Amino acid sequence: MSEPPRPDLPQDVAEAWKTTAQMLYQVPGTDRPFIEERRAIQNALARSLGKASAQWGMSGETADTLLAMARLNYRHGFGPEGLSVLEGLDRGNLSETQELRRAALELALGLIDPRDRPLSDRAQRMLGPDYRSWPDQQVFLALQSVRNNRFEAAADYLPLVRDRLERLPAGYAAVILPGLLEAAIATEQWQVARDFALEFRKHPALRESSAFRYLLGRAAEAGGDILAAFDSYRLAGEQHDVHGHRARTAIVALGLRHDLIGIPEARELLQRETHLWRGDAYALSVLSDLAALDRADGDRVAAVHTYGAILDRFPRDPAAALARQKARALIAEIYEEGASGDLPLSAFLQAHRRIAPDFRFQAGFDVQAERFADRFLDVGSTLVAAQEYEAVHDHLAVGRDLGLSDVSDRRLDELRLKQAESLELGGQYEEALAALREPLASGTAELEDRRSQLLAQLYADTGQTGALLETSVSAPDIPFLRLKANAYFDREDWADAQATFQTIWDETGQELPFEDAIRLLLSSYRNDDLTTTLALSREFPELTGIPQWSAIAEGLVDPAAELWPLRQDTARERMESASRTLENLGTVQPGTN
């Protein structure tokens, strides 16, 4: 399978490739600086690109030169860079030998790629049964297990990797050593671990690295030397890399296991770490540990917030499903206590403001948020309630537009009406009218009537009599009729006012409110319906015990009133007295008989 070396390639590279199975070994005498060697390969690549192609889109010489460049990156432990070079071979029609070399390099480089991308199919086949006879396959099987943190699976291979480590290029060995040492410590292969630790000393960049110090801490902790472990972790934790992060979290775990720190302090340390390190499995582990400590400390709201961070930062990780389930259970507890009054209003408000930003778009949270708004509306906090109804409406609408949820128009209309009702109760009439400016989308008769009723009340609140009289509902109730009747009365439309108040009297009977009775009396009189006026004056004293009414009624039913028709001047004086009484009803509660 070997091919004669290309004359345009550097001689040391060409000679090392005579044996394909050994192409990943360290090349003797290749101690030139990386930049110098890369320049030589780039020059060879430039020359090859100027020659006619014997293959599809790429000459064999160009393919060999690209492989040489990828191998240079491999020797120095530059995973992403080497893989990027290999992507350029997609245009070539490679020979069998070139394909094999490409696959071997993709395997070696893929196993040190910090981007945690899956191996290519070609690389994965190198670890399969077709290449079982490859002497170094077990080395890369071990590296794959270490890369996936499956240390037990790598255990049997570690002695072989130790024995073959010196054959690998120094740059590549420096990248894989931390993982190998951790696997040896995790599987308690202490002699192998010692040998790997000694290898660290051959690499200046590793001797004082956070990786080495962290792993020394792991070994010390496994041996029961807590003080040495703490010192190693502390030194490693001064670095802002992955092993520094792991060392800082190891200090927390060490402190908790040996009762050196309490849960509140551990929470504070882990909370700080969630801001310092993000994006990988170690960051996820910290969040999971923090949520557990939150719950152990009795802080359910903090736990929900931490679960929300997991959902936000790791939405596709299997851990997100479990975090969502746990968060929902805690949210249900918190909002049940808040809605029932078992949780103080201030605590409920603080909890909601911390939870809501993380869970607005989570299925079912709109129901909990609506319960929050209902609770505050019940206690008269109309502004808080209105703002929350609006927030729930807007997030549901956005979620539907984005295809995140299936929300009916009726649901959105109900929330919009609740918002407007809360604003009206709080005296924010213009804001309530603005909330109802757009027509309802569902077209539901029940909700349309509710909107019309609310608009009528708002028009009454803001003195828009004409707009109020234009509103209508399918089945007017007493409050709606009263709004209409008062509007007619204010416009001095005595006939319509009398007719509407009469309808209210017919519906309420003896429970007719005092204010309505006065207005019915006045509108009937001013409508020249003295029969109704006289009937009211005679009958109403039996329907109410309010002193003001008795004074009016006595004047209307005295002997002079028996003369028919009433003398104009007497009637006018009595009606003006009734009008004055109506204007002075500030001491009478609305709706009081």
Side-chain angles (χ1 to χ4, degrees):
M1 295 175 60
S2 60
E3 296 179 352
R6 298 285 181 180
D8 291 334
L9 286 177
Q11 187 61 30
D12 54 350
V13 175
E15 290 296 329
W17 280 22
K18 289 182 178 179
T19 305
T20 303
Q22 297 179 358
M23 63 168 295
L24 296 179
Y25 291 168
Q26 174 65 41
V27 180
T30 55
D31 53 357
R32 288 185 299 170
F34 174 82
I35 297 297
E36 180 181 332
E37 191 168 351
R38 186 182 65 176
R39 185 181 299 114
I41 297 175
Q42 287 175 332
N43 291 336
L45 179 62
R47 289 191 295 271
S48 71
L49 292 174
K51 297 180 179 180
S53 173
Q55 296 173 301
W56 298 341
M58 179 183 296
S59 68
E61 184 175 343
T62 298
D64 277 345
T65 310
L66 289 174
L67 287 167
M69 181 67 78
R71 185 166 182 267
L72 173 65
N73 284 285
Y74 152 74
R75 284 169 38 214
H76 287 270
F78 300 153
E81 296 83 354
L83 291 171
S84 177
V85 172
L86 292 175
E87 289 176 0
L89 294 171
D90 291 339
R91 304 189 311 272
N93 182 25
L94 306 185
S95 68
E96 183 180 356
T97 299
Q98 290 168 335
E99 286 286 5
L100 181 59
R101 291 171 176 173
R102 178 189 190 182
L105 284 169
E106 283 185 348
L107 173 61
L109 291 165
L111 291 175
I112 63 168
D113 185 359
R115 298 170 296 181
D116 199 28
R117 294 181 176 181
L119 295 175
S120 69
D121 292 339
R122 286 181 295 270
Q124 194 64 50
R125 281 196 297 271
M126 296 292 290
L127 299 176
D130 292 343
Y131 293 92
R132 189 178 292 114
S133 60
W134 178 26
D136 293 318
Q137 187 188 61
Q138 293 184 7
V139 173
F140 293 98
L141 285 170
L143 293 180
Q144 183 187 46
S145 297
V146 170
R147 179 177 182 244
N148 296 326
N149 291 321
R150 296 171 57 243
F151 299 135
E152 291 295 334
D156 292 341
Y157 301 132
L158 293 179
L160 173 67
V161 177
R162 175 197 57 191
D163 296 340
R164 291 181 175 269
L165 190 62
E166 64 180 13
R167 301 184 183 184
L168 299 179
Y172 191 79
V175 176
I176 63 175
L177 264 173
L180 293 172
L181 178 54
E182 182 172 2
I185 293 172
T187 57
E188 299 183 353
Q189 298 187 61
W190 300 117
Q191 183 57 52
V192 176
R194 179 179 178 277
D195 294 338
F196 282 141
L198 291 174
E199 288 292 327
F200 272 71
R201 304 185 186 280
K202 298 179 182 179
H203 304 275
L206 291 180
R207 282 198 296 264
E208 303 298 325
S209 67
S210 61
F212 193 37
R213 286 168 171 164
Y214 165 72
L215 292 169
L216 288 179
R218 286 277 302 273
E221 186 176 0
D225 192 342
I226 305 305
L227 183 59
F230 177 81
D231 286 341
S232 293
Y233 289 149
R234 179 183 57 80
L235 289 172
E238 295 175 356
Q239 302 299 316
H240 298 289
D241 58 13
V242 63
H243 287 97
H245 159 72
R246 296 181 68 188
R248 292 189 293 272
T249 58
I251 290 175
V252 177
L254 184 69
L256 286 172
R257 275 196 297 271
H258 296 278
D259 296 324
L260 301 175
I261 60 174
I263 290 179
E265 185 180 358
R267 286 179 61 195
E268 182 180 350
L269 291 171
L270 289 186
Q271 181 64 48
R272 185 186 310 163
E273 200 62 32
T274 63
H275 298 295
L276 295 175
W277 193 261
R278 298 190 180 191
D280 62 8
Y282 298 117
L284 174 58
S285 178
V286 169
L287 288 171
S288 299
D289 290 344
L290 177 59
L293 289 178
D294 289 336
R295 299 190 69 169
D297 208 23
D299 194 338
R300 296 176 300 175
V301 176
V304 171
H305 179 69
T306 304
Y307 289 135
I310 292 175
L311 295 175
D312 178 53
R313 300 178 194 179
F314 303 93
R316 288 178 291 277
D317 193 282
L322 182 59
R324 183 179 293 106
Q325 179 181 348
K326 291 180 178 180
R328 284 177 177 171
L330 289 178
I331 288 172
E333 290 179 10
I334 294 168
Y335 281 76
E336 175 60 30
E337 292 176 13
S340 64
D342 293 338
L343 193 66
L345 283 174
S346 59
F348 195 17
L349 179 62
Q350 291 175 0
H352 177 71
R353 286 181 172 172
R354 191 171 185 193
I355 292 171
D358 294 323
F359 289 87
R360 282 291 188 195
F361 290 106
Q362 293 293 322
F365 183 75
D366 60 296
V367 176
Q368 303 293 359
E370 187 178 6
R371 296 178 74 191
F372 167 85
D374 292 343
R375 171 63 176 151
F376 276 81
L377 182 60
D378 288 342
V379 299
S381 296
T382 56
L383 179 59
V384 173
Q387 289 174 338
E388 188 57 31
Y389 289 132
E390 181 180 20
V392 176
H393 171 280
D394 291 350
H395 281 85
L396 284 177
V398 170
R400 184 174 71 173
D401 292 343
L402 295 175
L404 301 176
S405 59
D406 184 16
V407 183
S408 68
D409 287 335
R410 180 187 178 96
R411 173 76 171 125
L412 296 177
D413 287 345
E414 287 173 339
L415 289 166
R416 184 64 77 194
L417 287 171
K418 279 191 167 186
Q419 175 196 355
E421 289 164 351
S422 300
L423 291 169
E424 193 279 330
L425 287 173
Q428 296 179 285
Y429 305 134
E430 295 300 330
E431 292 82 354
L433 284 169
L436 296 177
R437 182 175 294 113
E438 297 295 328
L440 300 182
S442 64
T444 307
E446 171 195 348
L447 298 184
E448 290 290 353
D449 282 351
R450 192 168 147 194
R451 177 174 181 268
S452 295
Q453 182 99 24
L454 182 54
L455 282 172
Q457 181 63 58
L458 288 167
Y459 291 145
D461 293 334
T462 55
Q464 301 181 60
T465 305
L468 190 160
L469 293 175
E470 291 178 1
T471 61
S472 63
V473 297
S474 58
D477 58 9
I478 296 301
F480 184 79
L481 290 172
R482 183 175 291 114
L483 290 172
K484 286 269 189 164
N486 287 333
Y488 286 129
F489 189 92
D490 291 341
R491 298 187 74 176
E492 299 183 1
D493 185 344
W494 309 120
D496 286 333
Q498 177 190 350
T500 310
F501 279 121
Q502 181 68 51
T503 302
I504 296 174
W505 192 18
D506 293 341
E507 291 288 335
T508 58
Q510 294 184 355
E511 296 181 1
L512 180 69
F514 179 64
E515 302 94 317
D516 294 346
I518 288 289
R519 287 179 179 256
L520 174 56
L521 178 70
L522 293 174
S523 56
S524 64
Y525 171 72
R526 290 167 178 167
N527 192 37
D528 294 327
D529 185 353
L530 298 182
T531 301
T532 301
T533 305
L534 185 58
L536 261 167
S537 69
R538 287 175 171 173
E539 296 181 23
F540 208 77
E542 300 174 0
L543 308 179
T544 180
I546 295 178
Q548 293 97 323
W549 177 255
S550 299
I552 298 169
E554 287 173 3
L556 290 174
V557 297
D558 66 8
E562 295 291 339
L563 301 177
W564 188 256
L566 290 172
R567 284 175 23 199
Q568 185 176 7
D569 55 347
T570 302
R572 182 180 297 109
E573 181 181 349
R574 290 167 182 170
M575 291 303 101
E576 290 173 355
S577 176
S579 295
R580 287 193 298 273
T581 300
L582 181 63
E583 293 169 358
N584 293 326
L585 281 179
T587 59
V588 181
Q589 293 298 320
T592 304
N593 290 334

